[in-house]
């Protein structure tokens, strides 16, 4: 699936309300929409000048809705869906949020201990902790720091009942990202 318009993206995100990362709801304690909005808000707070990173946070888990049950591939499916509309950087960050989890588990014992039960369970399907060679390769990726920031926000954005901005408040940010992508393609 390729998302072609901002309206299509906003509708897909709206469909994430009361949709869960695990079909049996045994995963994260908040639905995908709530989780993605929390993640985006954390990134807006910590990286106010990086709207592409914020939007990556907003859409990073749509792959769970597109392909339910595919924990290992949800980053890739989400990236493929948004690439044409939101650009290569946003898509790359969406795809890398799974790699960043594997990196943090391999390099940060405190982070690994604090993973939610659901994240620990899906880590196995995602390939487990990165090897030393994979760590070196990931550290060399130009989006390494942003991907790690997205992952940290991903892990923190699972708070039941946390008040965050409504989905529609993100439309202008998404539109600016889309416009910059369109300008870059001219």
């Amino acid at each position: 699936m390729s998302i072609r318009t901002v309206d299509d993206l906003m509708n897909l995100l709206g469909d994430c309300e009361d949709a869960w990362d695990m079909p049996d709801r045994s995963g994260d304690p908040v639905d995908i929409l709530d989780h993605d909005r929390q993640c985006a808000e954390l990134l807006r707070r910590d990286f106010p000048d990086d709207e592409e990173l914020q939007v990556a946070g907003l859409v990073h888990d749509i792959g769970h809705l597109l392909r339910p049950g595919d924990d290992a591939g949800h980053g890739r499916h989400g990236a493929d869906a948004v690439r044409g509309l939101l650009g290569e950087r946003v898509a790359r960050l969406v795809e890398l949020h799974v790699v960043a989890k594997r990196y943090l588990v391999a390099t940060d014992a405190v982070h690994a201990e604090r993973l939610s039960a659901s994240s620990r369970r899906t880590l196995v399907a995602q390939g487990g902790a990165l090897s030393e060679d994979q760590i070196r390769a990931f550290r060399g990726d130009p989006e390494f720091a942003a991907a790690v920031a997205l992952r940290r926000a991903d892990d923190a954005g699972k708070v039941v009942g946390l008040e965050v901005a409504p989905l529609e408040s993100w439309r202008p940010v998404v539109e600016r990202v889309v416009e910059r992508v369109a300008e870059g393609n001219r």
Side-chain angles (χ1 to χ4, degrees), residues 1-163:
M1 171 185 196
S2 179
I3 300 166
R4 302 194 185 279
T5 69
V6 173
D7 285 339
D8 289 344
L9 178 61
M10 298 304 283
N11 287 335
L12 179 64
L13 286 166
D15 290 344
C16 290
E17 184 174 16
D18 204 32
W20 301 81
D21 61 334
M22 301 293 289
D24 66 358
R25 294 187 177 194
S26 64
D28 290 338
V30 294
D31 66 29
I32 296 169
L33 177 60
D34 197 23
H35 170 62
D36 283 354
R37 288 183 306 141
Q38 288 184 35
C39 184
E41 287 287 346
L42 290 166
L43 292 165
R44 177 164 39 198
R45 179 195 71 197
D46 296 342
F47 301 90
D49 297 328
D50 193 344
E51 290 186 332
E52 289 178 339
L53 178 57
Q54 296 165 27
V55 170
L58 184 66
V59 303
H60 79 280
D61 269 352
I62 63 170
H64 285 300
L65 186 69
L66 299 173
R67 297 266 181 98
D70 187 357
D71 293 316
H74 80 277
R76 185 179 67 254
H77 300 309
D80 290 345
V82 302
R83 184 171 278 110
L85 181 67
L86 298 176
E88 187 58 39
R89 181 169 184 247
V90 172
R92 182 85 175 120
L93 290 170
V94 169
E95 190 166 8
L96 285 176
H97 88 276
V98 173
V99 177
K101 172 178 152 181
R102 297 176 61 211
Y103 168 81
L104 287 168
V105 166
T107 61
D108 183 343
V110 172
H111 184 86
E113 285 178 24
R114 292 183 180 160
L115 279 182
S116 69
S118 175
S119 286
R120 276 198 254 19
R121 184 176 61 235
T122 60
L123 177 65
V124 174
Q126 295 163 342
L130 293 183
S131 69
E132 288 300 320
D133 288 341
Q134 292 170 320
I135 289 169
R136 278 191 292 282
F138 182 50
R139 284 180 175 154
D141 191 295
E143 294 300 339
F144 167 75
V148 170
L150 172 56
R151 184 66 221 185
R152 289 190 186 281
D154 183 1
D155 289 327
K158 301 176 182 184
V159 180
V160 175
L162 183 67
E163 292 285 329

Side-chain angles (χ1 to χ4, degrees), residues 178-186:
V178 168
E179 181 59 30
R180 284 192 292 271
V181 168
E183 287 174 4
N185 290 335
R186 289 184 192 145

